[in-house]
Structures are given as structure tokens and as C-alpha cells.
Amino acid sequence: MSATFGTVIPAMVTPFTEEGGLDLELAQKVARHLVDLGSDGLLLSGTTGEAPTTHTQEKVDLIRAVAEAVEGRVPIMAGAGSNHTDHACRIAEKSVEAGADSLLVVTPYYSKPSQRGIAAHIRAVADAGGVPVMVYDIPGRTGVAVEREAEELLEGAGIVAYKDATGNVPAGIARARRTGTEAYSGDDALNLAFLSYGGAGFVSVVAHVAADRYRDMVEAVRCSDMERAAQIHADLEPLVDAIMGTGQGAVLAKTALHLQGVLPSASLRLPLVAATSEQVATLRRAMERLGYL
């Protein structure tokens, strides 16, 4: 399966100052660190980037700063998520103007629209951006799933891929084949499963720490070395659980970068709060075992 957007794509954290302001210099540092570690794409202003807490202008400033830092080494995808379609369209337009190469469009959350409403929303945002789009299907957060009715209505709308966080790998791969799109894992615990079934890659939280090992996993699968790929998956399981086990990937990804000295602190914006001492200890152990500390 082709991989238009790259294969190892961290859903990059958005660094904040201790006072809660956007720290663009640190964002550039993180972006360069992730690319040097083995990432071949970056997603800005996704869930892990705390997108619900950043304003459109902050999103724009973040894209410009990161684009300047990576100097074209990897493509930049920008989240254009909102349950207000006009707002999402403005985010899309401004993101592309700022330098985003593609967009991640999540289904409208909280409102729980019909399948026709989901398709109309995504199509409007795709039209506004005018660049390749990855649809984000994560019903556990949005309350709605992208079903066949919406998929059919999205034909010809410039949808290139689906980021699948439904937990159903065979269905995600079947959708990609049915719609002529690419399937990306949206759940780090299922990254190897998606690759094994023919998925394009993954949009990852754990790649903040382990992009190098995920790069090795991709290469192992490409070379049909499934034993090697399975070993990498097994080695990473404790780290995946430490970062994603509580469902607060943004919190633990920032904590991991702080433990490594990439970030001076793991500053967050409410409603996210700092990791507990137990979570930090578990994360530290997992990182030490893998040589990341």
C-alpha cells in the first residue's frame, strides 16, 4: 500500500511556556528532534497537540515555525478539527496558507451528526483546504463513526487516507481497499497489525520517543522480516502502555520529552493536568529499559 503522507508520523505535542503561552522556539526544537529520530512526516494540532485549546492564529504560527525548522525534510500535516464546519474550514484555509502540505479532518465531535452530515462537513473542509486529506475516524472520542454511507458520499472529495482509531484493523484495511484510500493506524498498540495487513503507516504518539524503532519496524515489514517486526512490537509494549495506557497521550508524550531534556517542562493547558508520580515512574522504567534515558 502506498504512503502519501509518510509512514512514521508523530502527532506532535505543542510546547507551552510555564505561563501557558505557545513556545515556538521549543516547537522547532521538538520538530527537528522528531525528524532526526526517524520520523518522515509530522502532524501538528492534532489531539496530542492539544488542538482544542489552541486558537487558529496559534495553529498558523505553529505551522510556520515548524516548516521553517524542518526545511522541507518531511511533509507537514495540520489538524483542521472542529464541530463547527465554518470554523474547521477557516482552520484549513489558514493552515494551507501557512505551509501545511495536507490536512487531518476529524469527524465532528459532540454534535453526533448523521452520516450525510459527516460527509458534508469533511467535504467542505477538504474543499476549503484544497490539499490531500486524511480523515480521522475515532468514534471513542467523537461519538460517531464514519460508515459506508459517508464513505460513498466522500468519493471524489480528495480524501487520500483514513486514520483509523476504531480498534478494528481488518475493517480499516477493508475500507482502504474499498475506497481506494490508504489506511493509517491511529492506535500505537495496533501499529504492527496495520502494517501486517497492508496499512500505509501510523500517526503515532509513542513515536515521540520511539520513532527510530518504528522506522525499523516499517523496514522489517517491507523486507518480510515479520519475526524482527514482532520483536520490535514486543519490546515497545511496555512503553506503549506507559504512554497510552491512561488515554492521556499528550500528557505522557510531553513528560517523556521532559525526562529526555528535550522540553524544560511538561507544561499543559487545562483540562489536561500533569502526570502522577506513579505514571512518571512507570514511564521512566519503560524508557530506561529501551535505552531512551
Side-chain angles (χ1 to χ4, degrees):
M1 187 175 287
S2 60
T4 301
F5 304 101
T7 54
V8 181
I9 309 170
M12 197 181 106
V13 298
T14 302
F16 300 126
T17 65
E18 293 281 6
E19 296 74 31
L22 185 64
D23 194 322
L24 295 177
E25 186 174 339
L26 271 180
Q28 292 181 315
K29 179 182 179 181
V30 171
R32 287 190 292 263
H33 170 74
L34 294 176
V35 175
D36 290 344
L37 193 59
S39 306
D40 58 356
L42 292 173
L43 167 64
L44 305 180
S45 297
T47 306
T48 309
E50 298 174 72
T53 72
T54 58
H55 300 297
T56 302
Q57 187 58 51
E58 289 179 315
K59 291 176 170 63
V60 167
D61 292 342
L62 181 65
I63 293 166
R64 287 177 176 153
V66 169
E68 178 183 309
V70 301
E71 299 179 307
R73 293 169 65 193
V74 300
I76 295 174
M77 179 183 295
S82 176
N83 56 0
H84 186 314
T85 302
D86 286 349
H87 182 213
C89 287
R90 287 195 298 274
I91 295 172
E93 292 170 351
K94 296 295 184 183
S95 295
V96 173
E97 289 173 4
D101 302 294
S102 61
L103 297 170
L104 180 74
V105 183
V106 70
T107 50
Y109 41 86
Y110 185 77
S111 303
K112 298 184 75 171
S114 67
Q115 291 297 304
R116 289 189 300 112
I118 290 171
H121 172 92
I122 294 171
R123 184 178 282 274
V125 181
D127 288 346
V131 293
V133 167
M134 181 186 291
V135 173
Y136 189 11
D137 190 8
I138 181 165
R141 286 186 183 270
T142 65
V144 290
V146 181
E147 299 173 1
R148 286 205 183 194
E149 182 182 357
E151 293 167 13
E152 292 169 359
L153 290 169
L154 286 170
E155 290 182 8
I159 308 306
V160 176
Y162 284 84
K163 177 186 174 185
D164 193 296
T166 65
N168 190 334
V169 178
I173 296 296
R175 169 166 56 194
R177 290 173 177 159
R178 183 172 62 247
T179 59
T181 58
E182 300 167 359
Y184 281 79
S185 171
D187 182 343
D188 278 308
L190 299 177
N191 286 348
L192 177 57
F194 266 93
L195 289 178
S196 300
Y197 272 83
F202 26 85
V203 181
S204 171
V205 181
V206 178
H208 281 87
V209 178
D212 54 347
R213 279 181 166 85
Y214 279 137
R215 168 66 44 222
D216 290 344
M217 180 189 288
V218 169
E219 293 305 317
V221 172
R222 282 179 174 169
C223 296
S224 300
D225 188 351
M226 299 310 297
E227 183 177 354
R228 170 65 176 154
Q231 185 60 57
I232 294 169
H233 170 80
D235 291 344
L236 287 175
E237 279 186 328
L239 181 64
V240 172
D241 188 59
I243 293 176
M244 301 304 297
T246 63
Q248 297 293 346
V251 175
L252 275 303
K254 279 188 169 179
T255 302
L257 292 175
H258 174 52
L259 290 175
Q260 291 180 316
V262 178
L263 292 178
S265 71
S267 296
L268 303 149
R269 284 183 177 173
L270 288 170
L272 296 184
V273 295
T276 65
S277 58
E278 292 81 7
Q279 289 172 325
V280 175
T282 299
L283 177 60
R284 182 186 291 276
R285 285 194 297 271
M287 293 176 68
E288 286 175 344
R289 288 193 192 105
L290 292 167
Y292 288 120
L293 285 180

